[in-house]
Amino acid sequence: MARREALARRPSIHDVASHAGVSAATVSKVMHGVATVRPENVRRVFSAVETLGYRADPLASDLRREKRRIIGAIVPEFESEFFGLLITELERLAEARGYALVASSARETQEREGQIVQRLHDWRVSGVVLAPVRDEHGPGATFMRDNAMTGVLLDRGLAVASLDRVAVDSAGASAKSARTLLGLGHRHILVLGLGEQAATVRARLDGFRRAAQEIEQQTRIDVISCERELDALRRSVTAYFDRGERPTAVYALFSRGALVALSEFRRRGWKCPEDISLVSFDDAEWMQVTWPSIAAIVQPVRAMAEQAMAILFDRIEGAKGRPVARLEPCFVNMRESVGPPRSGSRPGVIPPGNSPPLPTFDPAALGAPAADKFTGGEKP
C-alpha cells in the first residue's frame, strides 16, 4: 500500500537528490544546465530523473521568480495562414529558450485585445508579442506601456516611446505591385480591403495608390472595404460588378480578399489574366496550386518571428536602450494571374486613361451592410 502511494505521488526534487546521493541544490543546477557541476554528479542526477520519472514543476519554480517562463502572443485572428504560421514560429523560438508560448486571438476586436493583455499581466508572463487589431494606440499596447510590460509590437503599428516593433515594408511592397501593373498597361484597378482602420492595411493602400499616381495621374483606383465581415465584402464586390464596372486588375490587400475576387471572376466566367489580373498581399498555399497561380506579396514570416523574439529575449535579460524598430522587406512574386490588359474596349469597359471620377457609392442602397465602403477614382 505504501509503495502504491509512493508511486502515485509525483517525485520531487528531493527524491531525485536522495536517489542520486547529491543535494537538492545540485539537482537544480543540473536541471538548469549550470556547467560547474561535476560530470559524475550530472550523470547520477540524470539517471535518477529517468528512473523516478521526475518532471520539474513549473508552477513551483515560477513561484520563486518574479516572472513565469511564459511568453504571451496575441494576434488579431487565427483564420489567416499568415498568423497561423507566425504563431508556429513564435512557439518554436520560445520553446528553444525554455519558455512556453500562450497564444490568443483578439478576434479582430480591440476590447478583447485589451482584456487578453490584462490577463497576461495578471499571469506574470515574462513578455508579450502583440500584433494589434488596429495600431499602437489600441488598448493592448496602451496597457502594456502604462504597466511597463516587456513586449514587442508585431506586424501592425508604429514604433512607440516604450515598445519595440517588428513589421514589414507594406507600403514599399504595394508600390512594387502598382509599378508592375501600370508597367503592363493597367489604368483601372480595383482594391479590396478588410479592416481599413488597421495600420498595415492603410500602409498597403497608401503605398499602392501613391506609386500608381506617380506613374500616371489619370489612373483610376476604386476601393471596396469593410471592417470585419467577409460576406459583406463579397456582397459589395458583386454589387460593384453588377453595376457594369470593369477594372482590368484587382489588388487584394489580404489573402482572403483574393479568394473573394477569384470566386467572383469564376462565377462570371472571367479568366485570369486574359480577362482580368489579380494580385494579393500575402501568400497562401492554395494560391500556389490553383490555376492560374495567384501573384502575391510574400511576407517573411520566419524573419519577423526571429527578429521579434530576439528583441524580446534581450529585454527579458535586461537589455536597456531606446525602442528598436525593424522593417523587413517583402518578396513580390508575380505569377500567372497577372498579364497586360486586353487591347481595345470590352463591353462595359472604359478605355484606360479616360475614366471620369465616380461619385461615392453607397453599398446599403444595394442591400449591403452600411459598414462597407466603395470609393471610385480616389486621389491621395
Side-chain angles (χ1 to χ4, degrees):
M1 184 70 172
R3 176 174 174 78
R4 187 180 303 166
E5 290 177 355
L7 290 173
R9 182 175 62 85
R10 178 173 179 154
S12 70
I13 192 171
H14 297 286
D15 295 327
V16 175
S18 176
H19 194 280
V22 299
S23 68
T26 298
V27 175
S28 178
K29 289 179 181 179
V30 171
M31 299 304 292
H32 286 89
V34 177
T36 57
V37 181
R38 289 188 299 174
E40 178 186 350
N41 286 343
V42 172
R43 287 192 295 271
R44 288 161 65 183
V45 168
F46 279 131
S47 176
V49 166
E50 184 176 355
T51 300
L52 298 175
Y54 171 76
R55 290 183 296 114
D57 185 344
L59 181 58
S61 299
D62 288 339
L63 287 174
R64 295 190 291 270
R65 301 190 187 100
E66 183 181 350
K67 299 290 185 181
R68 293 177 174 174
R69 294 182 71 82
I70 297 174
I71 301 298
I74 308 170
V75 295
E77 42 88 8
F78 285 149
E79 295 180 6
S80 69
E81 190 167 322
F82 170 75
F83 286 119
L85 291 173
L86 186 62
I87 291 297
T88 299
E89 289 299 318
L90 292 174
E91 183 180 57
R92 176 182 65 83
L93 294 164
E95 292 180 351
R97 299 288 289 267
Y99 285 73
L101 185 86
V102 175
S104 299
S105 164
R107 300 174 192 164
E108 292 288 4
T109 66
Q110 287 191 302
E111 180 182 5
R112 179 173 165 81
E113 172 191 296
Q115 292 171 349
I116 296 172
V117 172
Q118 293 179 41
R119 188 184 310 154
L120 293 174
H121 181 259
D122 293 339
W123 290 351
R124 295 186 289 112
V125 298
S126 293
V128 175
V129 177
L130 169 64
V133 170
R134 291 186 181 174
D135 55 31
E136 70 281 6
H137 302 298
T142 299
F143 186 90
M144 289 169 66
R145 289 196 304 271
D146 293 346
N147 291 272
M149 294 178 69
T150 302
V152 178
L153 295 184
L154 190 60
D155 184 46
R156 301 177 181 180
L158 304 173
V160 293
S162 58
L163 291 174
D164 301 307
R165 180 225 182 187
V166 176
V168 296
D169 186 5
S170 296
S174 287
K176 289 181 182 178
S177 295
R179 286 191 285 269
T180 297
L181 289 174
L182 269 74
L184 289 170
H186 295 278
R187 294 297 184 271
H188 182 188
I189 302 166
L190 172 64
V191 178
L192 301 181
L194 190 69
E196 194 175 337
Q197 296 185 49
T200 49
V201 176
R202 294 197 304 269
R204 294 169 190 176
L205 177 58
D206 292 344
F208 186 89
R209 180 185 285 146
R210 189 161 45 245
Q213 297 295 333
E214 286 175 356
I215 295 173
E216 174 55 69
Q217 289 190 352
Q218 296 303 312
T219 300
R220 176 176 164 185
I221 300 175
D222 298 339
V223 180
I224 300 178
S225 67
C226 62
E227 267 309 296
R228 293 174 57 188
E229 295 297 329
L230 202 62
D231 285 342
L233 181 67
R234 189 175 289 113
R235 288 192 293 269
S236 290
V237 170
T238 298
Y240 171 82
F241 286 119
D242 283 347
R243 295 177 65 233
E245 300 296 343
R246 294 296 184 271
T248 59
V250 172
Y251 177 45
L253 300 178
F254 66 115
S255 59
R256 286 180 293 162
L259 189 59
V260 168
L262 191 63
S263 297
E264 187 67 21
F265 298 166
R266 291 181 175 174
R267 191 175 72 83
R268 295 174 182 272
W270 298 344
K271 296 181 179 179
C272 282
E274 294 88 347
D275 299 312
I276 191 166
S277 290
L278 176 62
V279 181
S280 169
F281 195 107
D282 218 359
D283 201 9
E285 284 191 17
W286 69 265
M287 295 182 186
Q288 303 169 37
V289 299
T290 191
W291 180 260
S293 57
I294 307 301
I297 295 174
V298 184
Q299 299 192 74
V301 179
R302 173 166 288 190
M304 293 176 68
E306 290 176 346
Q307 287 276 10
M309 293 300 264
I311 294 170
L312 185 66
F313 282 121
D314 281 347
R315 297 298 189 191
I316 290 172
E317 294 167 3
K320 306 295 182 183
R322 296 174 62 84
V324 176
R326 296 279 187 268
L327 196 63
E328 295 290 328
C330 296
F331 173 65
V332 181
N333 192 340
M334 288 296 167
R335 301 187 179 114
E336 289 92 346
S337 64
V338 171
R342 278 187 176 181
S343 59
S345 299
R346 287 180 290 139
V349 179
I350 302 173
N354 297 324
S355 305
L358 285 182
T360 298
F361 170 64
D362 180 12
L366 290 172
D372 291 355
K373 184 174 70 175
F374 170 84
T375 53
E378 289 196 358
K379 299 290 190 294

